[in-house]
Amino acid sequence: METGGARRPGAALGFALSSALMTGALLSACGESGSTATTEPRTVTTADSAHPASASAAATPPADLCTRIVAHWSREALAENTYGDYQSMGLSNGQYAILRNVVDAARAVKKRQGAGAADRLIDRRAREDCEERYRAGGPSDGPWQ
């Protein structure tokens, strides 16, 4: 029995994926081919070979990343714009504990002193608590801490 030319499920996705991978491979192969338009040759130093150039910037320190993500989600929680659980927010269990403490404190300050004071408290507490958490380099109580 013939299928009447019906495609197999996933065939289009497979083709698109293989095309994207091939394009990426070709582009990266063309990155530094030696046939550049510049007339000055590139001199490779010991530092270059020990630390190859990278397209990405230096990694963000864990305490800074924690501060940014906790402050963001604290503001969302204070405005009641959150959804899901800590994993859907991209937080670890420990970062979520910091967020809960920050939001509790911010709610109290917002009632007494207003939204501006709560916003400043979020920035300060998120920074302080995240710096404390990552002071020794990172959590050590298990993989999800």
Side-chain angles (χ1 to χ4, degrees):
M1 177 181 239
E2 274 188 48
T3 61
R7 293 185 176 168
R8 294 185 315 204
L13 178 61
F15 178 76
L17 182 59
S18 63
S19 296
L21 290 173
M22 183 60 89
T23 302
L26 290 172
L27 288 174
S28 58
C30 295
E32 285 190 41
S33 64
S35 61
T36 60
T38 60
T39 57
E40 296 179 23
R42 184 179 186 285
T43 305
V44 177
T45 64
T46 306
D48 289 340
S49 58
H51 303 286
S54 173
S56 64
T60 303
D64 292 348
L65 184 60
C66 173
T67 299
R68 287 194 301 208
I69 195 166
V70 166
H72 168 79
W73 285 112
S74 294
R75 286 184 178 88
E76 293 293 321
L78 194 61
E80 298 181 8
N81 291 331
T82 59
Y83 64 94
D85 61 3
Y86 69 95
Q87 291 173 333
S88 66
M89 294 179 202
L91 299 169
S92 70
N93 186 38
Q95 291 166 337
Y96 188 62
I98 293 171
L99 177 133
R100 287 191 318 257
N101 292 334
V102 169
V103 171
D104 288 345
R107 279 191 182 120
V109 166
K110 185 177 180 181
K111 284 180 184 178
R112 289 190 319 263
Q113 300 171 351
D119 196 49
R120 289 186 298 276
L121 177 123
I122 287 171
D123 288 335
R124 187 182 74 250
R125 285 285 303 270
R127 184 184 66 252
E128 290 170 356
D129 292 0
C130 287
E131 285 176 355
E132 177 63 30
R133 177 169 177 72
Y134 291 97
R135 179 164 287 139
S140 61
D141 294 335
W144 301 108
Q145 301 297 315

